[in-house]
């Protein structure tokens, strides 16, 4: 290991590497063109969130004069410089890829045109669209001595307009105005086809407004028009202790977020120096100004690809989730779960199984209570409607709603109010802790006794993301898991002294310690010369203590395989430190989101499902859950899912000691884990070769 190299990869630099892996999917010529366009959109929205949260936090530290190094060896100022350099390079690559994808789409008959490329009839049609639809929505905002600079919304596109008057002396400063490009209208305007042409042609809304800008400033001449976009600090800063009503406090914070301090200014290439100087001074932006060679904010491509009809050859092959066979074969869901546990793997298996579990519980007269955690819920959630019906039917319904799920706060507030009106007990978790555990508990009266049925998941109760994310769900009536589930809800909703968990690991109280003791057990096996192995799959690994624990295990001879999609601060393969650790990341059609942990345990293998990544926030500042899978058959299925990931040699990248990733290439037959998983027998049939 280079003596100047830190033992750890910096979290934010690791995130940049992750977003670059997303960009590589947009660059991959083997991916269909419209899917490549979607990946470009994801790169943009990822970068927006990174700027408005992570970079905003670093800027706050710099402003506060904070100069202390983090555990990876970076001061805020030093890290900020590295991040700006890396993001600038990524944006350059992103727009180069955008132009390449556009050229490919044009060959397929999907084209973005500049206005001067249109025929006379097309020009007439878009001009009519402007005057009838766009013009009435526009608001020109002049900036002068009597009209101060307007308060600009975060992540909206504006046009900076420089104006002159007839016979105006050359030394006189131009007039300055701003026009917002209305986000209520589609960003891409469809252009009627040319005669005998089957092409789908579009122009960008901002270019159409620019063309007609003089209609907004009658009597003035246009000197220059350039687009720009501001990103503001979007981190919530809540004083929960002092919040009388958390709902109201969060509603206020969301309003404040729109006016957070600016953290980034993007502007169109070749912006007039006077306009750029005006924006720089008014928005107090110095170093974080990015010139964009192309349309600002490529996240519009997500909606664009979704709106286009047809073109199936330019998309991934359609994949319909199948309804889990176990539930298909058994009418009585509760009878099935009394007999055996059931595992579902989304998106290959349908989320309808979860909806049906809650809906059947809501309608079953013998169900007395339903308790559930909701973190991010989809738009028209069947779950929310079922919970409301259960409460209206007189059942005890308790819902722990996480109001602080970043960027989903407004939606969660709406559901919370709806559930309260229906008679549900709505609880907003514990002060200072986000409730991130994903669990449902159903209490049912059966033959003079009560039986508990539990669903534990690695993903949110969200039917939309369940079609796009890989996640695992476990249905069980195991009495030990049921007792722990009851205790967990009691801790979150009431006063409860620390509980002696029989099955669960629960953050922030004991999950980290439980993981440490399981890692320690593997170390002991290795030191005794027995086989010792850990496989862990998660989104992110950044907790320093956890990394150190894994380094210790590696030095003891434990074989460790990590499947970490996003941030990874651990350096694998470093002699004397981590030579027994391998780290891979899979970025593909679906977002790898499941958290699974495997311990060899001297041959008595253990597998756990978890809601928690191994980040400091998950282990210390959130209510998280790790649940064992007791059923041997289901453990083997989970080990098979891990095997599929570990054997991927098409979409898998391996983390090198220097902190960069390279594609996994070997002599084995090509294997793309997400495509293999579409054939359900590939992971439901036990053929795991590890251990």
């Amino acid at each position: 290991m280079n003596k100047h190299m830190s033992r750890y990869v910096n979290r934010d630099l690791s995130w940049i590497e992750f977003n670059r892996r997303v960009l590589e999917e947009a660059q991959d010529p083997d991916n269909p063109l419209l899917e490549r366009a979607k990946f470009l959109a994801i790169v943009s929205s990822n970068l927006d969130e990174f700027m408005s949260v992570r970079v905003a936090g670093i800027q706050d530290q710099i402003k506060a004069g904070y100069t202390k190094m983090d555990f990876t060896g970076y001061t805020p100022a030093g890290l900020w410089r590295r991040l700006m350099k890396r993001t600038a390079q990524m944006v350059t690559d992103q727009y180069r890829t955008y132009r390449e994808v556009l050229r490919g789409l044009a060959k397929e008959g999907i084209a973005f045109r500049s206005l001067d490329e249109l025929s006379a009839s097309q020009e007439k049609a878009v001009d009519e669209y402007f005057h009838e639809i766009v013009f009435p929505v526009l608001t020109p905002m002049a900036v002068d001595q009597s009209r101060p600079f307007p308060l600009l919304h975060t992540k909206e596109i504006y046009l900076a307009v420089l104006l002159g008057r007839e016979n105006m002396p050359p030394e006189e400063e131009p007039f300055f105005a701003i026009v917002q490009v209305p986000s209520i209208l589609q960003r891409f305007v469809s252009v009627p086809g040319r005669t005998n042409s089957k092409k789908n042609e579009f122009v960008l809304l901002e270019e159409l407004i620019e063309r007609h800008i003089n209609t907004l400033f009658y009597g003035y001449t246009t000197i220059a028009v350039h687009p720009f976009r501001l990103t503001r600090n979007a981190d919530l800063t809540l004083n929960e202790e002092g919040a009388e009503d958390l709902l109201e406090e969060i509603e206020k914070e969301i309003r404040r977020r729109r006016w957070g301090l600016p953290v980034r200014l993007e502007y169109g290439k070749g912006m007039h120096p006077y306009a750029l100087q005006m924006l720089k001074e008014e928005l107090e932006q110095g170093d974080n100004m990015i010139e964009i060679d192309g349309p600002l904010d490529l996240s519009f491509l997500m909606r664009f690809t979704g709106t286009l009809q047809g073109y199936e050859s330019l998309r991934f092959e359609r994949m319909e989730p199948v309804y889990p066979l176990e539930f298909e074969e058994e009418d009585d869901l509760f009878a099935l779960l009394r007999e055996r546990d059931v595992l579902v793997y989304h998106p290959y298996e349908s989320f309808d199984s979860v909806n049906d579990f809650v809906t059947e519980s809501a309608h079953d007269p013998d169900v007395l209570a339903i308790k559930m955690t909701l973190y991010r819920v989809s738009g028209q959630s069947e779950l929310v409607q079922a919970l409301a019906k259960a409460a209206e039917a007189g059942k005890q319904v308790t819902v722990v709603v996480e109001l602080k799920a970043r960027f989903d706060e407004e939606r969660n507030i709406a559901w919370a109010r709806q559930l309260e009106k229906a008679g549900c007990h709505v609880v907003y978790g514990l002060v200072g802790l986000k409730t991130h555990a994903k669990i449902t508990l159903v209490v049912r009266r059966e033959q003079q006794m009560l039986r508990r049925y539990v669903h534990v998941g690695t993903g949110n109760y969200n039917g939309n993301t369940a079609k796009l994310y890989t996640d695992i769900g476990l249905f069980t009536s195991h009495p030990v898991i049921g007792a722990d589930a009851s205790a967990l809800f009691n801790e979150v909703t009431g006063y409860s002294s620390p509980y002696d968990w029989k099955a669960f690991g629960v953050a922030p109280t004991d999950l980290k310690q439980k993981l440490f003791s399981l890692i320690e057990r593997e170390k002991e096996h290795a030191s005794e010369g027995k086989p010792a192995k850990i496989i862990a799959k998660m989104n992110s690994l950044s907790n320093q203590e956890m990394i150190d624990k894994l380094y210790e295990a590696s030095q003891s001879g434990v074989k460790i395989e990590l499947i970490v999609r996003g941030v990874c601060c651990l350096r694998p393969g470093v002699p004397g430190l981590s030579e027994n650790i391998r780290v891979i990341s899979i970025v593909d059609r679906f977002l790898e989101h499941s958290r699974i942990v495997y311990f060899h345990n001297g041959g008595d293998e253990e597998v756990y499902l978890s809601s928690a990544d191994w980040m400091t926030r998950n282990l210390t500042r959130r209510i998280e859950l790790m649940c064992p899978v007791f059923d041997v058959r289901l453990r083997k299925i989970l080990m098979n899912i891990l095997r599929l990931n570990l054997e991927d040699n098409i979409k898998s990248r391996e983390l090198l000691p220097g902190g960069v990733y390279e594609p996994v290439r070997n002599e084995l037959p090509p294997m793309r884990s997400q495509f293999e998983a579409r054939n359900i027998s590939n992971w439901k049939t036990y053929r795991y070769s590890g251990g």
Side-chain angles (χ1 to χ4, degrees):
M1 179 168 157
N2 182 330
K3 63 179 180 182
H4 301 298
M5 190 188 284
S6 165
R7 281 161 54 101
Y8 315 96
V9 177
N10 178 270
R11 171 182 166 172
D12 296 306
L13 293 171
S14 178
W15 183 90
I16 296 283
E17 288 294 320
F18 158 65
N19 210 32
R20 186 160 280 288
R21 294 197 291 284
V22 179
L23 179 55
E24 284 171 10
E25 291 303 306
Q27 294 167 335
D28 185 347
D30 291 336
N31 281 332
L33 275 166
L34 290 176
E35 303 297 342
R36 292 173 66 186
K38 278 188 196 174
F39 280 115
L40 282 171
I42 295 167
V43 170
S44 283
S45 47
N46 281 353
L47 201 50
D48 279 350
E49 183 171 343
F50 182 68
M51 285 288 172
S52 62
V53 178
R54 296 296 305 173
V55 173
I58 294 165
Q59 286 189 345
D60 286 346
Q61 289 180 330
I62 294 167
K63 280 176 189 157
Y66 190 81
T67 56
K68 194 176 171 187
M69 280 186 183
D70 65 14
F71 74 92
T72 64
Y74 281 93
T75 63
L79 177 58
W80 189 84
R81 283 192 294 275
R82 285 287 290 277
L83 291 175
M84 289 309 97
K85 192 173 176 183
R86 297 250 188 116
T87 50
Q89 183 58 56
M90 187 194 301
V91 168
T92 301
D93 293 346
Q94 182 192 13
Y95 277 87
R96 190 174 63 245
T97 308
Y98 168 73
R99 288 187 286 277
E100 182 188 318
V101 169
L102 239 53
R103 286 193 294 274
L105 289 173
K107 287 176 188 168
E108 299 288 344
I110 303 165
F112 279 90
R113 299 293 183 203
S114 62
L115 289 156
D116 55 14
E117 292 178 302
L118 303 183
S119 68
S121 62
Q122 288 179 315
E123 210 172 313
K124 185 169 180 278
V126 296
D127 286 351
E128 280 175 11
Y129 177 80
F130 174 82
H131 290 295
E132 289 173 19
I133 306 294
V134 183
F135 179 76
V137 184
L138 299 177
T139 304
M141 296 178 281
V143 178
D144 55 29
Q145 286 177 325
S146 63
R147 289 169 290 198
F149 198 88
L151 204 48
L152 303 178
H153 291 237
T154 187
K155 294 188 283 194
E156 296 282 354
I157 295 174
Y158 293 87
L159 297 175
V161 186
L162 290 184
L163 302 161
R165 277 189 184 281
E166 217 174 310
N167 303 322
M168 192 168 133
E171 68 278 1
E172 195 171 310
E173 287 186 346
F175 298 92
F176 183 78
I178 289 171
V179 177
Q180 183 176 348
V181 177
S183 52
I184 200 163
L185 299 177
Q186 293 274 37
R187 178 93 181 274
F188 42 94
V189 178
S190 181
V191 180
R194 298 164 199 260
T195 314
N196 301 323
S197 171
K198 290 184 179 175
K199 285 188 174 177
N200 258 316
E201 296 180 296
F202 301 88
V203 294
L204 286 170
L205 181 58
E206 60 265 34
E207 292 180 8
L208 187 56
I209 297 169
E210 181 182 339
R211 173 194 176 94
H212 292 282
I213 203 77
N214 58 328
T215 59
L216 294 169
F217 301 100
Y218 185 73
Y220 288 80
T221 56
T222 306
I223 298 170
V225 183
H226 294 284
F228 70 94
R229 181 173 181 262
L230 189 67
T231 309
R232 294 182 179 275
N233 186 327
D235 224 8
L236 282 175
T237 49
L238 282 177
N239 174 14
E240 288 184 57
E241 295 282 3
E244 285 293 314
D245 186 329
L246 194 57
L247 222 59
E248 283 179 24
E249 184 67 19
I250 287 180
E251 283 174 328
K252 274 188 228 156
E253 265 304 322
I254 292 165
R255 288 193 291 274
R256 272 184 231 130
R257 179 189 274 166
R258 292 174 197 153
W259 321 122
L261 287 172
V263 293
R264 175 184 59 168
L265 176 67
E266 298 165 282
Y267 61 93
K269 190 172 183 184
M271 181 179 260
H272 192 287
Y274 182 83
L276 193 58
Q277 190 59 33
M278 277 286 287
L279 293 174
K280 188 174 179 178
E281 286 173 9
E282 289 290 344
L283 302 171
E284 297 179 356
Q285 285 298 289
D287 301 319
N288 205 1
M289 295 171 64
I290 301 174
E291 186 176 58
I292 301 291
D293 186 9
L296 306 186
D297 184 20
L298 295 183
S299 67
F300 82 89
L301 290 169
M302 188 62 79
R303 183 176 285 184
F304 174 72
T305 56
T307 306
L308 272 179
Q309 297 297 309
Y311 298 102
E312 294 309 307
S313 63
L314 304 184
R315 305 178 195 274
F316 285 130
E317 187 185 332
R318 195 181 293 274
M319 193 206 79
E320 288 299 324
V322 300
Y323 197 77
L325 190 63
E326 295 91 335
F327 291 135
E328 192 80 60
E329 291 173 342
E330 177 62 72
D331 287 338
D332 186 342
L333 188 147
F334 296 113
L336 170 67
L337 295 181
R338 282 195 296 278
E339 185 190 315
R340 65 182 191 270
D341 293 354
V342 175
L343 195 79
V344 291
Y345 187 17
H346 311 299
Y348 313 103
E349 291 184 301
S350 171
F351 189 74
D352 288 345
S353 53
V354 181
N355 288 333
D356 291 349
F357 175 60
V358 178
T359 303
E360 282 192 38
S361 301
H363 289 113
D364 188 317
D366 290 321
V367 168
L368 306 181
I370 304 173
K371 302 184 180 190
M372 191 172 189
T373 58
L374 291 181
Y375 189 72
R376 297 186 198 274
V377 189
S378 57
Q380 295 299 316
S381 173
E382 283 182 45
L383 294 175
V384 170
Q385 291 164 28
L387 292 168
K389 280 180 183 152
E392 284 158 4
K395 300 185 194 305
Q396 285 285 310
V397 179
T398 305
V399 186
V400 181
V401 177
E402 182 45 72
L403 292 176
K404 302 181 291 296
R406 187 177 282 133
F407 304 119
D408 273 346
E409 298 92 350
E410 290 179 83
R411 185 182 295 147
N412 288 7
I413 286 168
W415 293 131
R417 297 217 185 277
Q418 186 182 328
L419 290 167
E420 282 179 330
K421 281 178 188 165
C424 300
H425 299 298
V426 178
V427 178
Y428 303 121
L430 298 171
V431 168
L433 300 175
K434 275 189 183 178
T435 306
H436 195 247
K438 292 88 169 65
I439 183 168
T440 302
L441 168 65
V442 172
V443 181
R444 191 169 186 266
R445 182 176 44 218
E446 294 175 3
Q447 300 167 340
Q448 312 309 311
M449 62 173 279
L450 293 182
R451 191 186 296 269
R452 299 179 181 96
Y453 296 86
V454 177
H455 172 268
V456 174
T458 65
N460 302 312
Y461 286 114
N462 185 316
N464 292 338
T465 56
K467 294 172 187 167
L468 305 170
Y469 296 7
T470 70
D471 270 308
I472 309 285
L474 171 71
F475 295 90
T476 181
S477 65
H478 197 291
V480 175
I481 290 175
D484 273 11
S486 281
L488 177 64
F489 279 104
N490 290 342
E491 278 208 355
V492 176
T493 63
Y495 294 111
S496 185
S497 55
Y499 180 74
D500 181 18
W501 305 104
K502 304 296 185 294
F504 288 174
V506 177
T509 48
D510 82 324
L511 174 57
K512 186 166 72 169
Q513 218 42 57
K514 178 156 190 163
L515 284 165
F516 283 0
S517 66
L518 292 169
I519 294 168
E520 202 64 44
R521 188 179 63 190
E522 292 300 316
K523 273 176 60 182
E524 286 168 18
H525 288 311
S527 62
E528 291 164 10
K530 297 177 186 171
K533 185 163 191 171
I534 298 167
I535 307 172
K537 175 175 165 58
M538 66 197 76
N539 297 323
S540 299
L541 167 60
S542 62
N543 179 263
Q544 185 183 2
E545 286 179 272
M546 183 62 76
I547 294 168
D548 287 343
K549 209 73 185 162
L550 293 169
Y551 284 159
E552 286 173 24
S554 169
Q555 289 161 350
S556 301
V558 180
K559 298 290 180 193
I560 302 171
E561 295 190 283
L562 302 174
I563 307 156
V564 186
R565 184 196 80 231
V567 168
C568 182
C569 298
L570 178 148
R571 288 191 194 277
V574 176
L577 181 70
S578 57
E579 67 261 50
N580 286 315
I581 306 179
R582 177 179 182 238
V583 179
I584 63 161
S585 168
I586 295 171
V587 178
D588 199 351
R589 172 181 184 172
F590 303 120
L591 185 90
E592 290 290 340
H593 193 255
S594 46
R595 290 94 166 184
I596 309 168
V597 196
Y598 161 91
F599 296 95
H600 185 258
N601 188 30
D604 186 11
E605 297 165 315
E606 292 182 357
V607 186
Y608 297 82
L609 296 178
S610 182
S611 63
D613 292 315
W614 291 357
M615 304 175 77
T616 302
R617 71 184 186 197
N618 299 94
L619 299 172
T620 63
R621 298 195 299 276
R622 289 185 170 188
I623 296 168
E624 300 276 12
L625 174 60
M626 185 175 78
C627 175
V629 176
F630 290 129
D631 187 313
V632 175
R633 188 178 47 89
L634 300 189
R635 281 207 299 268
K636 289 175 177 176
I637 288 172
L638 286 169
M639 286 147 64
N640 226 20
I641 290 169
L642 292 172
R643 177 198 60 79
L644 274 178
N645 279 201
L646 290 168
E647 291 180 6
D648 191 312
N649 58 7
I650 293 180
K651 288 298 177 183
S652 176
R653 281 95 162 170
E654 185 161 357
L655 176 58
L656 304 181
V660 297
Y661 289 76
E662 68 173 22
V664 171
R665 296 287 179 262
N666 52 40
E667 300 306 310
L668 297 170
M671 210 282 276
R672 186 171 179 176
S673 56
Q674 290 193 0
F675 277 35
E676 291 294 317
R678 291 184 305 183
N679 180 350
I680 285 173
S681 66
N682 280 347
W683 47 270
K684 282 214 167 168
T685 306
Y686 177 58
R687 55 189 184 91
Y688 176 71
S689 56

